[in-house]
Amino acid sequence: MNRIRTASLCAAAIAVVAPLSACGDMASAGAGNPDHGQPGHVMLAATEVAGVGTVVTDAAGKTLYRFDKDMATPPMSHCDAQCAATWPPALAGDGSPMLEGIQDSQVGTLARPDGSKQLTLNGWALYEFSGDKAPGQMNGQGANGTWFAAAPDGSKITAAQPAAGGSGY
């Protein structure tokens, strides 16, 4: 429950006074890494969703997804152009992300065609879904049979959740 409260407070602060990357300043430092919590850092958290299980969320509490058409070894994204507009990549900040309930050794990055760095979890690229408007929503779950919420170990969550129509690639 404390994670939800922290994520909600962080999201409110972001909307009022700070860019998303500054959220790390307002949350507690994670995993004993002195770089965690500095400006430009992002957050990944393991969050319990009723009826689904534990999913990975960002600092704002939004569900992060993985795409079955991507590759984990080597990490590779196959979602760009219009796909990336619907499924925005979860971009890495300037340093190590803050982690809650996720092993540091599971987190990495991949280089996108535009030069940005996308977060990976156990090699799988992470994405947001443009149809999720509030923390805890999973409107992209199961979309086109290829988009699934990410579990804290990088595996896909297969629990049924209605997918928004026409949301996947």
Side-chain angles (χ1 to χ4, degrees):
M1 199 59 160
N2 192 24
R3 288 181 290 203
I4 294 170
R5 183 178 309 122
T6 300
S8 296
L9 290 173
C10 185
I14 289 168
V16 176
V17 296
L20 180 60
S21 63
C23 184
D25 289 337
M26 296 172 268
S28 61
N33 184 336
D35 290 333
H36 290 300
Q38 298 303 313
H41 292 250
V42 296
M43 180 176 165
L44 298 176
T47 304
E48 186 70 26
V49 175
V52 175
T54 305
V55 302
V56 178
T57 59
D58 65 10
K62 288 194 171 182
T63 302
L64 296 178
Y65 299 87
R66 52 172 272 183
F67 184 36
D68 280 352
K69 293 182 181 180
D70 285 347
M71 291 175 45
T73 308
M76 187 177 298
S77 170
H78 288 100
C79 179
D80 56 16
Q82 184 57 42
C83 176
T86 302
W87 298 91
L91 298 178
D94 294 332
S96 300
M98 292 177 43
L99 304 174
E100 287 187 16
I102 297 169
Q103 292 183 354
D104 190 51
S105 62
Q106 299 275 5
V107 179
T109 61
L110 63 83
R112 295 197 51 84
D114 65 2
S116 62
K117 288 193 270 183
Q118 184 172 2
L119 288 168
T120 63
L121 189 55
N122 199 19
W124 291 96
L126 296 176
Y127 303 86
E128 297 178 6
F129 174 53
S130 61
D132 288 346
K133 303 299 182 193
Q137 289 184 339
M138 290 182 53
N139 296 319
Q141 177 67 359
N144 291 341
T146 57
W147 291 95
F148 297 93
D153 65 358
S155 64
K156 64 183 176 183
I157 302 289
T158 57
Q161 181 82 8
S167 59
Y169 281 79

